[in-house]
Amino acid sequence: MPSLTLVLNANFEPINVCTDHRAVGLILNGKASLVLNGRGVIQTVSRAYPRPSIIRLAMMVRRPRPHVRLTKREILRRDDFTCQYCGQRMTYLTIDHILPRRLGGQHIWENVVAACPSCNHRKGGRTIEQVQMRLLRKPSEPPTSANYLFGRHLRDNSEWVPFVEGW
Ligand SMILES: [Zn+2]
């Protein structure tokens, strides 16, 4: 089963995750070097290669700061799977538009929050002022720190932690 490799930019900033097969390809093409191994070998027809856990690109890749995609999954992650009205943490949550769409509310980070079904139902198509509900915190676009982008992989790849933290 292919495992994942963390890809560092030339300045050591974590920028991507790829399959270990792709990582071996980048190393063989001279586009990246091995930073951390420790996962045994990948056996091909002709020879064996170290299975990379972390590689570093030889050339600096410049790119705009990534944005987190506005999806239900990412909204729930941002809100830590917690209803932003009553504070209940649960696996089944809905998305609430703070200013309802039919009142002109936009589908943007600042106007969407995780809400439990009962809070969502209680609020209905009204504004929080109308129903006198309060938000736990003001929603905004989540920061795209390396920890946010790659944090979900750290449990299975604990050796990545020192390379992800601080970026
Ligand atoms: Zn709730």
Side-chain angles (χ1 to χ4, degrees):
M1 200 180 108
S3 57
L4 293 176
T5 299
L6 181 66
V7 181
L8 307 179
N9 211 339
N11 67 346
F12 288 94
E13 178 180 2
I15 54 168
N16 205 356
V17 164
C18 72
T19 65
D20 52 7
H21 281 84
R22 173 155 168 73
V24 167
L26 289 169
I27 291 171
L28 293 178
N29 290 335
K31 291 187 172 155
S33 57
L34 182 68
V35 173
L36 196 66
N37 179 15
R39 288 184 169 170
V41 293
I42 295 177
Q43 188 67 50
T44 68
V45 181
S46 52
R47 55 170 290 195
Y49 300 98
R51 188 185 286 272
S53 173
I54 304 176
I55 60 170
R56 177 186 170 212
L57 297 177
M59 302 270 283
M60 185 76 180
V61 173
R62 297 195 185 281
R63 39 171 226 164
R65 205 161 175 75
H67 288 275
V68 179
R69 277 185 62 209
L70 182 57
T71 62
K72 177 172 181 180
R73 189 186 128 87
E74 295 295 345
I75 294 165
L76 299 185
R77 262 184 85 202
R78 178 198 66 182
D79 293 343
D80 197 25
F81 301 91
T82 302
C83 173
Q84 294 299 295
Y85 293 106
C86 71
Q88 250 197 103
R89 196 167 201 276
M90 52 198 293
T91 47
Y92 182 72
L93 286 164
T94 62
I95 301 300
D96 175 59
H97 288 86
I98 302 164
L99 179 64
R101 302 206 76 169
R102 64 177 185 87
L103 299 179
Q106 287 181 277
H107 190 62
I108 53 173
W109 282 108
E110 292 75 12
N111 194 45
V112 290
V113 286
C116 73
S118 87
C119 285
N120 204 333
H121 181 73
R122 193 179 137 210
K123 182 164 171 285
R126 294 168 293 176
T127 67
I128 46 177
E129 290 80 14
Q130 286 171 333
V131 289
Q132 300 190 351
M133 290 166 81
R134 279 179 52 191
L135 286 167
L136 296 183
R137 59 181 181 189
K138 195 173 166 353
S140 57
E141 182 176 338
T144 48
S145 65
N147 205 45
Y148 189 89
L149 295 172
F150 305 114
R152 78 191 97 149
H153 299 297
L154 295 182
R155 205 178 58 187
D156 296 330
N157 301 278
S158 57
E159 72 273 22
W160 294 4
V161 171
F163 292 87
V164 166
E165 279 180 347
W167 286 97

